[in-house]
Amino acid sequence: MQEYEAIIGIEIHVQLRTNTKLFCSCPAVYTDEVNTNVCPICQGFPGTLPVLNEQAVKLAVRAALALGCKVNSTATFSRKNYFYPDLPKGYQITTCEHPIGENGIINIDNRSIRIRQIHLEEDSGKLIHMKDESLVDLNRAGFPLIEIVTEPDIREPKEAYIYATKLREILRYIGVSNADMEKGELRCEPNISVHIKGEPFGTRREIKNLNSIKQVEEGIRYEIERQIYMLKKGKTIRRATLLWDEKSKITKEMRRKETEEDYRYFDEPDLPVLCIPHSLIKEQEKQIGELPDDRRDRMLKQYGLEKKDIDILVSRKALADYFEGVMKNSNNVKLTSGFILVELVGFLNERGIKFENNPISQDKLSEIICLMKDGIITRTVARNLLPRISERGSPKQLVKQLGLEKIEGEKELESIVKNILNKHPDEVSRYKEGKSGLFGFFVGEVMKTTRGKANPKVVGKLLKKIIG
Amino acid sequence: MENLSALSIPDINCLIKKGDIKVHELLDKAYKTIEQSSLNTFITLLKEESYKKADDIHLRIKNGEDIDILTGIPIAIKDNICIKGHRTTCSSRMLDNYVSPYTATVVERLENKGAIIIGKTNLDEFAMGASTETSFYKPTKNPYKHEYVPGGSSGGSAAAVAGLETVAALGSDTGGSIRQPASFCGVFGLKPTYGRVSRYGLVAFASSLDCIGPITNNVADSAILLETIAGPDSMDSTSIPEDVPRYYDMLTNEINNVTIGIVRGQLMDIIDKDVADVMEDFIKGLKFTGITLKDVTIEGFDICIPVYYIIATSEASSNLARYDGIRYGWIGNTKYDTLNEMYEVRRGVGFGKEVKRRIMLGTFCLRSGYKDQYYDKAIMVREKIRMSFEKALKDVDVLLLPTSPTLPFKIGEKIDDPVSMYLMDLCTVSISLSGLPAMSIPVGYQKGLPVGLQIVGRRLEEGTILKICHFLEKNGLASSNIENL
Ligand SMILES: [Zn+2]
């Protein structure tokens, strides 16, 4: 049987986190009212000239270094010429012909995805399509972008998913971008071809409009299946740019590419050659810090947590930083990771608070964990403390004030348990008839009465003793 | 009354300071001359604003304030240089109604010194031409003979200066657009070193060649204007970060140990006899000045024309891509069925013939599969040309060669023959490609029409050029006044 193989390469555009646009001093904010963060330069008015934002160069160099690229000592800006209403100058200024970084690598599981190049370029504006006219918003025009281009090393949709996830994680770690796909801060454009193993590569088709990493995987999977189906039917695959339709989960042809598009590249005469001094590279190396993979390895060794938990912690720098900060004083890996990943994350999610804006300081949380560790409060009490913890005073004082210390005395608890059982004779008889699920109900009632202070282990023991 | 515009800037400054003339009188005279003129030099006049500034200056003088040498001096600006709140048409229908939202660096620097911008002058559409005939606003006429062209593309500026409609003007020079009209109109025109003067606010034709420079009736005025507009500008990344000398203070009546390299050789085969005769006459005169003369050969002038036109049109094809009528410019209809139709109509009607010809040429030269044969090769040859000029300037202070291979031609004579029009740039484009500074100076007349010669200097040595030209002017070898020659 013929075995098909997919060849996948990915181009990722990432918006850099700079204060101003790439070639003018407009604020790099496009969520404002349309066409407000614009000036003669980014609107391409006659006679204007670009002036390079050095912060963008620094961030691009940092990204190149973090992805293991060789950073070139010079980069040259070129003009990529094409007509479109959202492109005010009629050309895009890009270093794609002489990029900032080359030959990088990202390791995914057991494989390496090679990165061909990273280049710096400006974003276009946006078209807003109305009923019978289209309007142009240039707030985004001139935004600094880096484009990260892989070699066609990816073979499976899942690999693309892992690659994009890892890349996003790294970019966030080193602080060059928020890389939020829904906001368009990270745009993923995979190109896919399918061929029979051992035969020449097939025709490449590119997918745009993928708004999440999940969609990247889905889009690639769909396209591979579709191309294999076409090939099996003996149909030829046309070169094309496709749009992902998230509603119907299919790709649609946006424009057919009969031939390679001719962008008439030439060196941008308005900008001198960009020199990247060694000192800048050194300075950016220092800014990178520990990368996620290294951190995973270290934390695995240092804390002996399960890989699954480490993966979750490391996936967000703020989360991992927080965990390690709390650990300094709490010194209990299991309690700390469990409490942060379940109770704290749950608490924040319920309130729609981003982890980066977590109101509970590391000190306070480690105090809570110490109270749990020392057997002073139960986990339930600890969780209930979270909403109040941002108030003044230490958790310790709060526990005292509110009398939340754990009740462990069997005598004290026995009367409470008996009381609960007396209040619910029906449930007790049903339990005795075999409805063992009601055991939890009794525990819950005890906890309710004690406001979570009762040691659940002791309560369980007592219940077993009394009702069998 | 003598036309005040014929006086030099330092002389006018003296009169203003002494209170012998008012700035208003200067403006009255300039505007009256313009209004009575049939040369068609200006596209837009900034009368109201100019008189307001004159009132201001008058007050300042009355209050005993010290004024700068440029204060109150009427200056005309080529209409491809932007002034906030005023039209910048580039002589194109495309920008007929375009009002710039910002001011060019050169204009800002002039205005900071008190100069008064009296209006904006005619040019070839987007500075593409050598005769001002491609202007959407009709050709400008040569002040010496109205049926002749004033040269181009800064024809409006050169004719306005020669016709005493303004004291001085700014032009722009991509392949000779300051020097050739200066030559045709019998005035001084200086193209500075590429990057010496900020291009911010100059509507781009060919970015790697475009330069702004002065057009004046004497060398001192050019020195004053250049030292005002030159120097690094944070808005232009290609501006040279070097300090600007006080050119005007450098001008003296004596010069020592100067060697001029005379470029004849292959070039003279292509120069009209009328022009060659004037040049030989001028050289005879030079022999009595103590200046050392040396023959210099520079080969490959003929190759400069194709190299120039490949580079200039390639860059132009990209620079002019922004004109789509979406944010500004000629709109035509407001509704189009397709995007392509919009581009076709707006750019098809908004641009004139010559501009479209050059956009097509440049687009062709940059196409993949052709670029390596045309654009890339031209860039390589350009480097060779630059090196040969550098070499030629090793042993001499400046070079001397004609500005134009012919006398001014008649309006309509060459407009339908683009190749012969392109050949008009023969003597000037090589210097543009080399990025060197050069001044065209009026040295003689043939058949009642002026003839200019170019003095070419080393990179950033505008001072040397100005010093030598000033000396030649003081010795009666160059003058914008026909009676002095
Ligand atoms: Zn801007």
Side-chain angles (χ1 to χ4, degrees):
Chain A
M1 208 191 93
Q2 286 172 331
E3 199 185 336
Y4 285 93
E5 181 181 49
I7 302 293
I8 304 158
I10 299 187
E11 290 174 10
I12 289 186
H13 284 92
V14 184
Q15 274 180 5
L16 295 176
R17 216 162 66 183
T18 53
N19 294 328
T20 54
K21 292 187 182 180
L22 188 52
F23 297 119
C24 64
S25 53
C26 288
V29 178
Y30 62 82
T31 44
D32 291 354
E33 197 186 326
V34 294
N35 294 315
T36 47
N37 294 325
V38 293
C39 72
I41 297 173
C42 57
Q43 291 183 92
F45 273 72
T48 56
L49 298 167
V51 178
L52 181 62
N53 175 347
E54 278 170 30
Q55 182 61 18
V57 177
K58 289 180 181 175
L59 295 183
V61 168
R62 193 189 300 174
L65 289 168
L67 300 178
C69 288
K70 176 188 161 282
V71 174
N72 293 322
S73 56
T74 60
T76 311
F77 289 97
S78 300
R79 289 188 185 177
K80 179 179 178 176
N81 295 286
Y82 65 95
F83 286 97
Y84 206 63
D86 66 5
L87 189 72
K89 298 190 293 294
Y91 55 85
Q92 178 193 31
I93 304 179
T94 166
T95 59
C96 70
E97 296 232 293
H98 309 274
I100 301 242
E102 287 174 285
N103 301 325
I105 216 150
I106 285 191
N107 292 311
I108 58 166
D109 296 340
N110 304 321
R111 301 213 319 109
S112 301
I113 307 301
R114 288 170 300 158
I115 290 173
R116 183 183 297 163
Q117 66 175 59
I118 294 184
H119 55 262
L120 184 63
E121 61 188 28
E122 58 177 335
D123 211 342
S124 62
K126 257 186 192 164
L127 282 192
I128 302 162
H129 298 288
M130 313 290 275
K131 200 167 143 265
D132 52 10
E133 59 184 355
S134 292
L135 304 170
V136 188
D137 175 16
L138 294 179
N139 277 351
R140 201 181 70 180
F143 250 70
L145 294 178
I146 45 173
E147 184 175 340
I148 303 165
V149 185
T150 70
E151 297 290 350
D153 287 351
I154 299 168
R155 296 289 174 273
E156 306 281 343
K158 189 74 202 169
E159 284 178 358
Y161 179 88
I162 300 170
Y163 166 77
T165 308
K166 272 212 140 177
L167 185 73
R168 184 177 64 183
E169 190 179 277
I170 294 171
L171 294 168
R172 287 176 175 168
Y173 251 75
I174 60 174
V176 302
S177 174
N178 298 326
D180 191 333
M181 274 187 91
E182 271 171 41
K183 289 186 190 157
E185 292 164 344
L186 188 144
R187 278 165 260 161
C188 215
E189 286 161 16
N191 52 72
I192 300 122
S193 73
V194 163
H195 67 132
I196 295 167
K197 263 194 176 169
E199 287 184 12
F201 284 4
T203 307
R204 262 186 333 156
R205 286 152 76 90
E206 188 182 290
I207 313 177
K208 286 180 189 281
N209 196 37
L210 297 161
N211 292 315
S212 72
I213 293 183
K214 191 85 206 126
Q215 287 178 31
V216 172
E217 186 183 348
E218 288 171 346
I220 294 174
R221 178 161 294 125
Y222 171 87
E223 185 57 24
I224 292 174
E225 282 168 10
R226 184 186 143 95
Q227 286 191 24
I228 291 176
Y229 171 80
M230 302 259 292
L231 287 176
K232 279 185 176 163
K233 283 207 140 185
K235 289 190 178 156
T236 43
I237 289 164
R238 282 193 307 245
R239 221 184 126 70
T241 300
L242 310 161
L243 281 185
W244 176 249
D245 182 347
E246 175 60 14
K247 255 193 201 145
S248 44
K249 302 268 181 203
I250 58 166
T251 58
K252 286 180 179 165
E253 225 168 86
M254 179 168 93
R255 57 170 177 258
R256 206 175 294 167
K257 288 181 175 175
E258 299 298 345
T259 50
E260 200 76 42
E261 230 160 305
D262 188 355
Y263 292 115
R264 292 176 281 120
Y265 289 103
F266 71 103
D267 289 355
E268 166 58 275
D270 288 335
L271 288 167
V273 171
L274 170 62
C275 291
I276 304 171
H278 194 64
S279 56
L280 189 150
I281 297 173
K282 278 268 159 284
E283 170 202 305
Q284 288 309 312
E285 253 165 15
K286 279 189 204 139
Q287 297 290 318
I288 289 176
E290 194 178 26
L291 288 170
D293 273 358
D294 300 330
R295 188 167 207 175
R296 249 186 292 270
D297 291 347
R298 176 178 62 77
M299 283 177 67
L300 214 54
K301 272 188 213 132
Q302 190 174 339
Y303 301 108
L305 273 168
E306 273 182 56
K307 189 165 179 310
K308 172 183 97 230
D309 290 341
I310 290 283
D311 281 346
I312 298 172
L313 284 172
V314 174
S315 70
R316 295 180 77 169
K317 187 166 183 289
L319 192 58
D321 287 348
Y322 188 81
F323 168 77
E324 296 209 76
V326 174
M327 268 302 291
K328 269 186 205 143
N329 292 317
S330 72
N331 258 321
N332 186 317
V333 175
K334 267 251 139 63
L335 265 182
T336 308
S337 67
F339 195 78
I340 290 176
L341 289 179
V342 181
E343 314 298 354
L344 180 63
V345 167
F347 163 77
L348 295 175
N349 283 348
E350 274 166 29
R351 287 161 179 77
I353 302 170
K354 276 187 157 187
F355 198 87
E356 286 70 14
N357 304 326
N358 173 16
I360 294 160
S361 73
Q362 295 177 3
D363 285 348
K364 286 193 173 171
L365 197 83
S366 52
E367 213 178 304
I368 293 177
I369 290 177
C370 285
L371 288 168
M372 273 163 63
K373 195 174 71 177
D374 298 342
I376 295 168
I377 57 170
T378 62
R379 185 160 169 158
T380 316
V381 168
R383 181 178 52 219
N384 293 341
L385 270 178
L386 290 176
R388 321 192 57 159
I389 212 72
S390 44
E391 293 168 18
R392 282 173 294 122
S394 73
K396 223 178 229 167
Q397 289 167 328
L398 212 60
V399 167
K400 257 213 184 111
Q401 264 171 33
L402 303 171
L404 296 174
E405 290 93 344
K406 187 150 69 175
I407 307 171
E408 297 207 83
E410 286 195 24
K411 258 193 190 151
E412 203 177 334
L413 281 175
E414 196 171 325
S415 64
I416 296 169
V417 171
K418 278 184 176 158
N419 217 340
I420 293 290
L421 295 174
N422 287 338
K423 265 193 199 161
H424 300 281
D426 286 357
E427 282 81 359
V428 171
S429 49
R430 268 164 57 204
Y431 174 81
K432 285 185 174 163
E433 280 158 22
K435 280 260 181 197
S436 58
L438 282 164
F439 191 81
F441 166 77
F442 298 129
V443 177
E445 285 301 300
V446 175
M447 295 309 269
K448 222 191 258 169
T449 323
T450 59
R451 285 182 296 152
K453 293 186 292 184
N455 182 338
K457 271 187 199 148
V458 181
V459 174
K461 213 172 100 190
L462 287 168
L463 274 170
K464 282 250 165 72
K465 201 177 90 186
I466 299 168
I467 52 173
Chain B
M1 177 176 93
E2 185 189 9
N3 192 322
L4 292 167
S5 299
L7 297 175
S8 71
I9 294 172
D11 287 348
I12 298 173
N13 180 248
C14 263
L15 293 173
I16 294 175
K17 273 184 170 169
K18 277 197 284 183
D20 289 351
I21 48 167
K22 273 177 69 184
V23 175
H24 295 80
E25 293 172 61
L26 281 168
L27 293 179
D28 290 346
K29 185 70 204 167
Y31 284 123
K32 203 172 164 203
T33 313
I34 294 166
E35 271 146 33
Q36 288 170 348
S37 156
S38 56
L39 298 177
N40 190 34
T41 46
F42 282 83
I43 294 172
T44 307
L45 294 178
L46 309 182
K47 236 172 156 172
E48 201 180 316
E49 210 168 319
S50 295
Y51 278 103
K52 234 183 243 161
K53 278 185 197 147
D55 293 344
D56 235 43
I57 294 165
H58 185 65
L59 262 174
R60 281 169 52 200
I61 295 169
K62 249 174 98 180
N63 293 339
E65 242 181 85
D66 198 25
I67 54 161
D68 194 90
I69 194 160
L70 270 175
T71 306
I73 303 295
I75 310 274
I77 301 285
K78 187 177 180 179
D79 202 23
N80 59 352
I81 299 172
C82 299
I83 305 176
K84 188 176 174 174
H86 294 289
R87 284 161 84 209
T88 299
T89 68
C90 293
S91 286
S92 178
R93 165 185 267 169
M94 185 63 95
L95 294 178
D96 185 32
N97 287 318
Y98 173 66
V99 172
S100 177
Y102 74 100
T103 295
T105 300
V106 289
V107 173
E108 223 161 59
R109 289 183 179 175
L110 287 175
E111 289 186 327
N112 284 345
K113 295 282 179 191
I116 297 180
I117 312 300
I118 57 166
K120 308 199 70 187
T121 56
N122 200 11
L123 64 149
D124 282 294
E125 186 179 4
F126 282 100
M128 296 176 180
S131 65
T132 323
E133 289 169 287
T134 68
S135 168
F136 179 60
Y137 305 101
K138 305 238 161 61
T140 295
K141 293 168 187 164
N142 191 306
Y144 283 85
K145 284 188 175 177
H146 287 198
E147 65 276 29
Y148 284 77
V149 302
S153 64
S154 311
S157 282
V161 171
L164 304 181
E165 298 174 6
T166 178
V167 172
L170 289 189
S172 72
D173 189 314
T174 305
S177 279
I178 286 174
R179 292 161 285 161
Q180 186 253 20
S183 168
F184 278 17
C185 293
V187 292
F188 296 84
L190 173 61
K191 179 203 99 74
T193 307
Y194 177 78
R196 181 52 121 176
V197 176
S198 166
R199 290 185 290 124
Y200 188 69
L202 167 68
V203 179
F205 160 17
S207 312
S208 75
L209 294 155
D210 293 343
C211 295
I212 297 175
I215 296 173
T216 60
N217 274 312
N218 57 70
V219 179
D221 290 0
S222 278
I224 292 165
L225 287 187
L226 184 64
E227 71 183 34
T228 307
I229 61 172
D233 176 16
S234 62
M235 299 305 281
D236 178 0
S237 310
T238 62
S239 67
I240 299 170
E242 214 144 315
D243 287 341
V244 180
R246 305 296 308 250
Y247 299 118
Y248 178 57
D249 294 343
M250 289 165 75
L251 307 180
T252 51
N253 290 337
E254 292 295 320
I255 52 170
N256 296 308
N257 299 325
V258 167
T259 308
I260 295 181
I262 295 162
V263 184
R264 284 199 191 92
Q266 181 201 28
L267 179 65
M268 295 319 281
D269 302 343
I270 344 175
I271 302 296
D272 274 11
K273 191 172 175 300
D274 288 329
V275 177
D277 286 351
V278 171
M279 178 155 148
E280 291 311 321
D281 240 30
F282 176 77
I283 293 168
K284 268 182 212 148
L286 275 183
K287 286 179 180 151
F288 302 103
T289 58
I291 291 174
T292 312
L293 301 180
K294 220 175 147 178
D295 271 319
V296 171
T297 333
I298 297 174
E299 297 299 330
F301 270 95
D302 46 345
I303 196 79
C304 292
I305 293 279
V307 168
Y308 169 80
Y309 274 93
I310 289 168
I311 294 174
T313 58
S314 293
E315 291 182 10
S317 72
S318 172
N319 282 331
L320 272 66
R322 67 189 60 197
Y323 303 105
D324 55 14
I326 291 175
R327 297 162 310 282
Y328 49 80
W330 191 80
I331 290 174
N333 297 324
T334 48
K335 282 226 182 293
Y336 295 95
D337 288 336
T338 65
L339 206 52
N340 272 345
E341 188 196 329
M342 179 193 82
Y343 285 123
E344 271 170 35
V345 173
R346 286 186 179 167
R347 292 170 63 81
V349 181
F351 288 136
K353 235 173 161 178
E354 181 59 28
V355 170
K356 281 186 275 187
R357 177 157 35 229
R358 295 198 191 193
I359 290 173
M360 284 193 281
L361 251 169
T363 305
F364 175 81
C365 291
L366 286 176
R367 274 176 60 193
S368 77
Y370 295 85
K371 189 192 167 219
D372 50 345
Q373 298 168 52
Y374 293 100
Y375 183 78
D376 292 347
K377 211 172 253 176
I379 293 287
M380 269 152 49
V381 179
R382 178 182 188 170
E383 190 51 26
K384 289 223 154 115
I385 294 166
R386 202 186 57 76
M387 276 156 57
S388 74
F389 267 89
E390 209 169 74
K391 203 176 129 221
L393 277 159
K394 262 204 178 114
D395 307 326
V396 299
D397 295 299
V398 291
L399 297 170
L400 172 75
L401 68 159
T403 304
S404 164
T406 69
L407 291 180
F409 46 89
K410 278 192 171 156
I411 291 172
E413 189 183 323
K414 289 182 196 286
I415 193 68
D416 294 321
D417 184 0
V419 173
S420 82
M421 191 73 100
Y422 294 173
L423 287 173
M424 290 287 97
D425 301 336
L426 190 76
C427 306
T428 44
V429 289
S430 53
I431 294 147
S432 299
L433 289 167
S434 312
L436 297 174
M439 189 172 210
S440 178
I441 55 174
V443 299
Y445 296 83
Q446 282 285 4
K447 300 169 180 160
L449 289 162
V451 175
L453 296 177
Q454 282 183 101
I455 302 286
V456 185
R458 298 190 195 104
R459 187 174 178 271
L460 292 175
E461 287 192 15
E462 289 85 355
T464 310
I465 297 174
L466 288 162
K467 245 158 87 176
I468 293 171
C469 292
H470 179 73
F471 173 81
L472 296 173
E473 188 186 15
K474 289 298 156 207
N475 282 274
L477 285 167
S479 174
S480 62
N481 190 336
I482 197 161
E483 284 145 27
N484 291 348
L485 287 169

